[in-house]
Amino acid sequence: NSGATAVIEGVGDHGCEYMTGGLVVVLGTTGRNFAAGMSGGIAYVLDESGEFCRTRCNRSGVDLEPVESSEDLNALRNLIERHVHFTNSPLGKRILENWGEMLGKFVKVFPHEYKRVLLQSACAPKVETPAPVVPSGAAKAPGRTVPAR
């Protein structure tokens, strides 16, 4: 995945392998080696049994975090709502009906490199746009207006 947005109800081995961008929500189980080589984008994985965090995710290049920020919560819920709207998914409906209980079972898969770039850009000094240069003779003199062009 290099920029797509997807909601899936399960994935086999090597899910999100070499992902460089985009957003993936996994509502079902995953195979082994999830996120191997993942350098960008975000994945939210429903880990009802804890198996994903214990053995299914290749954690060499990613952090596993709880879904806590309002941005993450809104994105996750909105994507699942759209999934249910378009597919009438019983799994998606069950998750939404039990949102308070299910939310704590989601894991955010966040690549180290992507996190570094986001933090770096958030900390970068903001470049102020300089005021426009007023051509000589066009400045407003006391008691005089500048003619409109």
Side-chain angles (χ1 to χ4, degrees):
N1 181 7
S2 296
T5 299
V7 179
I8 56 178
E9 296 200 2
V11 64
D13 293 347
H14 314 291
C16 294
E17 186 176 37
Y18 298 109
M19 182 170 159
T20 60
L23 185 58
V24 173
V25 177
V26 182
L27 302 180
T29 59
T30 68
R32 64 182 175 81
N33 207 32
F34 188 92
M38 186 176 176
S39 62
I42 299 288
Y44 301 105
V45 178
L46 179 60
D47 188 15
E48 290 190 84
S49 69
E51 186 71 16
F52 175 77
C53 291
R54 280 193 308 273
T55 64
R56 299 291 181 177
C57 185
N58 182 330
R59 297 174 71 168
S60 64
V62 299
D63 289 326
L64 301 182
E65 302 178 352
V67 180
E68 296 177 325
S69 76
S70 59
E71 183 179 300
D72 286 333
L73 294 168
N74 290 335
L76 178 58
R77 184 168 180 110
N78 288 338
L79 286 167
I80 297 170
E81 287 173 348
R82 286 179 50 85
H83 178 68
V84 168
H85 173 78
F86 288 109
T87 67
N88 205 25
S89 163
L91 176 57
K93 286 180 184 178
R94 179 176 66 85
I95 292 166
L96 292 173
E97 289 166 359
N98 299 287
W99 184 247
E101 175 189 334
M102 300 301 285
L103 182 57
K105 298 177 182 184
F106 277 94
V107 177
K108 178 180 179 179
V109 181
F110 202 168
H112 299 153
E113 184 63 17
Y114 187 47
K115 184 187 288 189
R116 183 190 65 76
V117 169
L118 291 177
L119 287 173
Q120 211 170 27
S121 65
C123 294
K126 303 295 181 224
V127 177
E128 295 290 326
T129 304
V133 176
V134 179
S136 77
K140 185 176 180 180
R144 194 175 139 214
T145 59
V146 177
R149 292 187 180 193

